[in-house]
Amino acid sequence: MPYDPREIEARWQRAWADARVAEVDVSAPGQKYYMLNMFPYPSGDLHVGHGRNYILGDALYRSLRMQGRAALNPMGWDAFGLPAENAAIKRGIHPRDWTRSNIAREKKQFERWGILYDWSKELASCDPEYYRWNQWLFLQLYKRGLAYRGKAPVNWCPQDQTVLANEQVVDGRCERCGTIVIQRELEQWFLKITAYADRLDAGLDSLEHWPEQVKLMQRNWIGRSVGADVEFPVPSLGKSIRIFTTRPDTIYGATFMVLAPEHPDVMTLIADNANRTEIEQWIAGVRNQSNLERQESGKEGRFTGQTATNPFTNEPIPIWLGNFVLMQYGTGAIMAVPGHDQRDFEFAKQYDLPIRIVVAGGPADMTEAFVDKENGVATNSGLIDGLKSPQAIGKISEEIERRGIGRKMVRYRLRDWLISRQRYWGTPIPMLYCDKCGIVPVQEDHLPVELPLDVPFTGREGNPLAKHAAFVNATCPQCGGKARRETDTMDTFVDSSWYYARFISSHDDKKIFDPAMVNRWLPVDQYIGGIEHAILHLLYARFICRTLHDMGLTEFEEPFERLFNQGMITKEGYRDPSNNRAWVPLNEVERRDGKPYRGNTELIPETGKMSKSRFNVVPPDELIDRYGADTERVYTLFIAPPEKEAAWSDEGVIGAFRFLNRVWKMGESGVAGRGSDALTRKTHQTIAAVTQRIERFEFNTAISALMELSNAMGESPDRTSYEVLLKLLHPFAPHITEELWKTLGNEPFILTSAWPVADEELMKEDVITIAIQVNGKLRGQVEVANPPVESDVLAAVKTNTNVQRWLEGKQIVKTVYVPGKLVNVVVR
RNA sequence: GCCCCCGUGGCGGAAUCGGUAGACGCUGCGGACUUAAAAUCCGCUGACCGGAGACGGUCGUGCCGGUUCGAGUCCGGCCGGGGGCACCA
């Protein structure tokens, strides 16, 4: 019988489902290993590019499980989100229905890929049974002062009519729609992630099994900087203005001060200024700019007309306003040291302000500021004169504290997490506004605050929820009077910041999760997902994990012990510049003059991420119909190391298909007899190699090793070796291996059979090849018995004629012998 | 501008600790089978030189230099590509 994957695959998928092989009783004693693919958003268009992380997760799951190590592999849905709402507006489908049908479609796709999840734990964030715990969590954070309503300048996307977190602003544009983001002052709900900045930064050190790259990105994002706050007296105000600096050692060089245009003291400072009106107009202009525009417009400032006193030189220094000083960072005010800060330097040059050198060691020409924080020596600096910068920073900081004019300070770039969204399809924030009592939290026993389903989707400005009278009108739990319900919903990153714990008790209607079970299963042993979540999702998840810990619910502070980021699958092809939506695959390109054409248009070569908007996706169903899911899985994992980007090649798929066909034919032609010593050796070597490579996520070379073994087997292997091949192949090609396993007369499932163990003795080669080098160049090889004896090897070197040619007439200086590898004869 | 990662055949990639560069696969070429094609199987496939051949030699892991008996791998400096952060005081 020829290999027909379609029939085989459908049958085994049913068998696994019927036997509920992936289900796990989390309360049963035994080994635990918890692995998780990142919570996917059901957009309904899974393609081979998306399949990669699920396939590699499944391969890891199956292999660990056969090794008796894996147990839990759940899957759920991050089901709230803007696309569902947009679909509702555009096509008149309710977001819930759109989401449900996508979930059904994607589940089907996972099944066709042969991916095993424990669906008994399935959850969807849009179910009240899930999001009520978002609300509960929010109330706990509120109680602890970690959720607050605040007026703050926020990123506002005019297109989506909603606020965005900093993380969702890319190059000054909305991450979703690309519209330029503007700044707006709005009352919003925030979570106080900044209270955890130090712990989130320090905790990165404990994450040994996270990619360095991700830790680095988080570290930069948190942006810890050490310095000092210093008060600069302002006589005309009758008080001081506080600044933050990382270079207190340069304070003698502070020749002016710059405030953010939004600084609260600005209006008082300019009250008597003759140019007041012009300055106010300028401030208004700056405030209306997006951060991007503000940066692009260059450095600009205005003099307030007032001075502050440098507390160390006691000189009056002018107070300026500057568009390059941000209210959101530090105190919104800086001491400007133009000699030793590049921005201050540029500003001083532009407005002709004095520059004073207080750190010696820079170039003499003064074309830029000397900013070296390690090697400079303080000069013109009173009591720190002659000290190297690090020592100077220490001494001056102590002096600042001694005088009571400031203190050592650690500040962070990280800002609080803005979770309010003026959107319908999300978790309602469980808060009420009472005319008498003000802001009142919903009582815990009134949760969930259910999202009403009967809302109008007009697509016009504003949140549809706010137009739903029955939802908005409520009773104040404190005074019993009338109250208005909060209509903002939560950022969907709230949903994904704790779902990993909910899987342990996904249908518990009494509590968020069972702490005892969660402590037993978590942290997640292995988390798999895309690098695009390096900052947003992973930082929020680490933050919420710590708050759960501080509430006494969990014993751990980090949610994910190991993190693996798979690379994207890209596709090569050509873009048609006359029609940006057209994308031409490689094999449809005509060539004229060596250049690709289509019609009359010259095509531009492009390799890009597979995505629907690029029209370069490979639909998995077509491929599965043609070659089967096993071929697609093997090829997807074979194509490149999983952490790297990989270019999909339609021609390459055939290699995986041929390989599986060979394995199939071996089973057909009958396996029998005793294996040769050589094949047994190769088999045990392959067991060792594949086992280790799976552990290290080297799936591509694991598959190469299996191809080598199958090549070594020829057409009719012995049963023992063949069964080993099937077992080792099972994580990558689960259906065909189950089928062949059964054909051999074994009980299902190969999945529940034991992973083979490599026998060190059987792995050993009888004869090994030693390379012979002369002056580091390969000049011959010699075969010796294993384990090799040095004297035998050296004797064999003397009998090799080619090597002797190179040694003739030369003087041997020395001989390097690397046991079992090579001999290098150094001659002169 | 700062920080990080990566440059290996026609292509995807392999080389675990500094030890025989190019495993495995694709493509291409040649052959077998076939009326023919597809499929399948076998051989060759880094460049160059010598040889009928077995084989031998020179060069070769982006470029220049260094360390070493020996460098794709380590160090210094460039060039190219990708990613992150960015008036962050």
Side-chain angles (χ1 to χ4, degrees):
Chain A
M1 257 196 332
Y3 170 45
D4 177 8
R6 299 186 59 183
E7 189 267 331
I8 295 167
E9 289 177 359
R11 190 149 42 77
W12 284 104
Q13 283 157 14
R14 243 175 289 127
W16 293 324
D18 290 346
R20 302 167 157 240
V21 286
E23 287 186 22
V24 169
D25 175 4
V26 291
S27 63
Q31 250 190 323
K32 60 124 208 146
Y33 193 101
Y34 182 8
M35 50 182 297
L36 202 53
N37 264 114
M38 272 183 195
F39 212 26
Y41 179 71
S43 58
D45 66 340
L46 287 182
H47 49 72
V48 297
H50 282 143
R52 196 182 198 189
N53 60 317
Y54 304 114
I55 291 169
L56 82 88
D58 190 61
L60 185 66
Y61 168 73
R62 287 173 182 269
S63 69
L64 290 169
R65 171 134 184 213
M66 289 172 80
Q67 291 172 45
R69 292 169 57 197
L72 185 57
N73 189 27
M75 177 50 78
W77 311 95
D78 195 2
F80 277 136
L82 201 48
E85 198 160 344
N86 288 342
I89 294 163
K90 224 157 85 188
R91 292 187 264 157
I93 311 164
H94 195 280
R96 186 196 51 180
D97 300 337
W98 185 85
T99 304
R100 285 277 162 223
S101 75
N102 283 344
I103 287 175
R105 202 169 336 150
E106 293 190 12
K107 256 178 109 160
K108 184 91 197 129
Q109 185 59 62
F110 285 148
E111 202 182 290
R112 280 208 90 187
W113 270 322
I115 290 163
L116 291 179
Y117 287 120
D118 183 346
W119 292 113
S120 71
K121 313 280 187 295
E122 181 180 7
L123 49 88
S125 61
C126 63
D127 289 338
E129 84 165 1
Y130 185 84
Y131 69 69
R132 69 176 291 183
W133 301 109
N134 277 344
Q135 295 171 339
W136 180 86
L137 180 65
F138 180 89
L139 293 177
Q140 308 313 306
L141 296 173
Y142 182 73
K143 265 193 246 170
R144 286 168 172 75
L146 292 169
Y148 65 95
R149 189 164 169 82
K151 198 167 188 156
V154 296
N155 304 303
W156 176 262
C157 173
Q159 174 67 38
D160 293 345
Q161 292 283 323
T162 192
V163 296
L164 300 171
N166 284 317
E167 293 84 347
Q168 291 164 318
V169 180
V170 177
D171 288 337
R173 289 167 188 277
C174 173
E175 179 191 49
R176 298 211 156 159
C177 66
T179 310
I180 294 211
V181 171
I182 60 168
Q183 299 299 301
R184 256 201 173 181
E185 285 270 320
L186 276 182
E187 284 261 319
Q188 304 284 330
W189 285 100
F190 291 86
L191 297 185
K192 209 168 187 174
I193 191 171
T194 53
Y196 284 77
D198 54 346
R199 282 164 69 187
L200 289 169
D201 184 75
L204 292 170
D205 293 331
S206 72
L207 297 173
E208 285 173 50
H209 305 289
W210 274 41
E212 284 303 320
Q213 189 198 5
V214 172
K215 289 193 273 184
L216 194 77
M217 280 162 69
Q218 293 223 348
R219 204 157 262 140
N220 290 340
W221 189 260
I222 295 167
R224 184 175 194 269
S225 42
V226 180
D229 276 7
V230 189
E231 303 278 347
F232 277 58
V234 182
S236 65
L237 278 182
K239 63 168 200 165
S240 299
I241 290 178
R242 181 185 297 175
I243 60 95
F244 172 65
T245 178
T246 56
R247 292 296 303 273
D249 60 314
T250 62
I251 196 162
Y252 288 90
T255 51
F256 57 102
M257 178 184 259
V258 189
L259 307 188
E262 300 91 341
H263 194 280
D265 290 327
V266 168
M267 286 309 150
T268 323
L269 287 167
I270 62 168
D272 299 331
N273 194 304
N275 293 328
R276 181 179 162 177
T277 319
E278 193 277 330
I279 297 175
E280 281 175 354
Q281 279 169 2
W282 175 78
I283 292 172
V286 173
R287 289 176 87 136
N288 276 335
Q289 281 178 326
S290 69
N291 274 343
L292 184 71
E293 289 167 334
R294 193 161 159 169
Q295 226 179 99
E296 281 171 352
S297 58
K299 285 189 183 52
E300 273 185 32
R302 292 293 185 276
F303 179 44
T304 61
Q306 306 292 335
T307 61
T309 311
N310 180 324
F312 280 82
T313 63
N314 290 318
E315 289 168 343
I317 57 171
I319 303 174
W320 280 69
L321 308 180
N323 65 348
F324 68 100
V325 177
L326 306 176
M327 197 58 220
Q328 301 98 308
Y329 187 77
T331 61
I334 62 162
M335 66 173 199
V337 184
H340 307 288
D341 181 283
Q342 191 57 26
R343 289 156 310 174
D344 299 350
F345 178 81
E346 286 164 21
F347 194 79
K349 282 279 181 199
Q350 191 171 331
Y351 292 103
D352 202 21
L353 294 161
I355 297 172
R356 182 179 298 166
I357 298 301
V358 292
V359 181
D365 60 353
M366 274 310 292
T367 52
E368 56 177 22
F370 175 60
V371 295
D372 191 328
K373 200 175 175 176
E374 300 296 323
N375 306 309
V377 176
T379 181
N380 298 323
S381 294
L383 69 152
I384 54 171
D385 264 346
L387 291 181
K388 272 198 126 184
S389 299
Q391 285 75 42
I393 290 170
K395 187 162 181 195
I396 199 82
S397 301
E398 267 150 42
E399 180 63 14
I400 288 164
E401 291 193 345
R402 198 188 60 77
R403 291 194 198 174
I405 57 166
R407 60 195 180 98
K408 290 178 200 166
M409 194 71 195
V410 178
R411 290 197 180 266
Y412 300 89
R413 202 190 79 102
L414 185 69
R415 285 176 224 156
D416 280 338
W417 176 13
L418 193 157
I419 60 156
S420 289
R421 294 291 179 275
Q422 290 69 48
R423 284 284 149 191
Y424 161 73
W425 191 234
T427 304
I429 294 175
M431 290 303 229
L432 297 164
Y433 301 98
C434 169
D435 291 339
K436 267 192 242 162
C437 313
I439 297 175
V440 183
V442 172
Q443 287 175 303
E444 280 181 32
D445 55 7
H446 287 182
L447 296 181
V449 175
E450 280 206 46
L451 191 64
L453 295 173
D454 53 334
V455 296
F457 295 101
T458 58
R460 272 185 232 113
E461 181 169 354
N463 184 346
L465 259 192
K467 296 167 193 156
H468 193 284
F471 177 81
V472 174
N473 297 321
T475 308
C476 173
Q478 276 178 23
C479 68
K482 274 191 181 172
R484 202 167 37 81
R485 208 176 276 287
E486 171 66 71
T487 58
D488 284 354
T489 53
M490 295 183 198
D491 179 4
T492 61
F493 280 116
V494 176
D495 308 343
S496 56
S497 64
W498 64 280
Y499 74 105
Y500 47 85
R502 181 67 182 173
F503 277 128
I504 304 300
S505 31
S506 45
H507 305 296
D508 192 327
D509 60 359
K510 298 285 182 299
K511 49 194 182 306
I512 185 166
F513 51 71
D514 178 346
M517 287 302 133
V518 163
N519 281 325
R520 208 172 108 200
W521 283 86
L522 273 74
V524 173
D525 295 87
Q526 181 66 61
Y527 197 37
I528 299 168
I531 187 78
E532 68 274 18
H533 291 115
I535 297 172
L536 312 104
H537 163 58
L538 289 170
L539 192 64
Y540 295 146
R542 295 180 62 229
F543 161 53
I544 294 299
C545 184
R546 279 171 170 72
T547 65
L548 294 169
H549 173 267
D550 291 356
M551 289 172 205
L553 290 171
T554 59
E555 290 162 4
F556 51 91
E557 293 208 19
E558 289 290 348
F560 313 118
E561 196 164 305
R562 286 184 183 75
L563 173 67
F564 186 84
N565 299 116
Q566 85 283 354
M568 285 188 312
I569 298 228
T570 58
K571 185 119 166 63
E572 263 183 283
Y574 294 88
R575 190 160 49 79
D576 183 345
S578 66
N579 175 4
N580 264 331
R581 297 175 70 77
W583 194 90
V584 188
L586 283 175
N587 54 5
E588 284 178 24
V589 168
E590 297 172 49
R591 277 175 189 275
R592 258 193 300 177
D593 314 328
K595 283 180 180 167
Y597 286 89
R598 180 194 226 185
N600 293 318
T601 321
E602 200 171 300
L603 300 172
I604 300 163
E606 189 176 272
T607 299
K609 176 187 179 176
M610 272 191 195
S611 75
K612 232 181 177 177
S613 58
R614 265 177 211 270
F615 294 90
N616 66 346
V617 296
V618 178
D621 281 344
E622 278 176 29
L623 210 71
I624 291 173
D625 288 345
R626 194 152 159 210
Y627 297 112
D630 283 337
T631 292
E632 188 187 330
R633 291 174 58 118
V634 168
Y635 179 64
T636 300
L637 296 174
F638 178 67
I639 181 172
E643 70 278 11
K644 279 181 65 174
E645 252 185 28
W648 184 269
S649 131
D650 293 326
E651 299 79 47
V653 181
I654 194 74
F657 186 64
R658 283 179 190 146
F659 167 54
L660 294 182
N661 264 294
R662 280 198 298 273
V663 175
W664 178 264
K665 273 193 214 156
M666 282 180 216
E668 288 244 298
S669 58
V671 292
R674 268 189 52 126
S676 67
D677 289 352
L679 184 54
T680 303
R681 191 184 304 125
K682 182 76 181 167
T683 302
H684 281 268
Q685 288 170 345
T686 309
I687 295 170
V690 171
T691 308
Q692 189 186 56
R693 286 169 184 180
I694 287 174
E695 183 84 359
R696 298 181 184 182
F697 278 85
E698 295 165 353
F699 295 101
N700 55 330
T701 53
I703 292 170
S704 313
L706 291 170
M707 287 173 168
E708 282 186 55
L709 179 61
S710 101
N711 289 344
M713 280 178 174
E715 276 173 19
S716 47
D718 65 284
R719 183 172 177 132
T720 312
S721 302
Y722 187 66
E723 286 192 351
V724 168
L725 174 68
L726 294 182
K727 285 184 176 188
L728 296 178
L729 181 58
H730 178 263
F732 312 110
H735 312 87
I736 189 177
T737 46
E738 285 281 14
E739 182 71 15
L740 290 164
W741 179 252
K742 196 181 163 201
T743 309
L744 290 179
N746 293 308
E747 284 301 302
F749 296 94
I750 195 172
L751 174 65
T752 53
S753 73
W755 191 253
V757 177
D759 183 326
E760 294 270 343
E761 279 305 310
L762 293 176
M763 277 168 63
K764 279 190 184 140
E765 300 280 355
D766 303 331
V767 174
I768 56 168
T769 306
I770 305 275
I772 308 167
Q773 297 181 336
V774 177
N775 283 351
K777 285 193 193 276
L778 183 69
R779 296 302 179 197
Q781 291 176 335
V782 63
E783 297 209 326
V784 294
N786 191 27
V789 179
E790 184 170 353
S791 55
D792 293 350
V793 174
L794 296 180
V797 167
K798 295 207 171 84
T799 64
N800 185 301
T801 47
N802 194 48
V803 171
Q804 287 311 308
R805 255 183 42 203
W806 287 91
L807 296 180
E808 222 163 277
K810 299 279 167 61
Q811 187 195 342
I812 295 176
V813 179
K814 70 169 167 177
T815 304
V816 181
Y817 173 61
V818 183
K821 292 266 177 174
L822 58 73
V823 176
N824 188 12
V825 185
V826 185
V827 298
R828 198 161 41 211

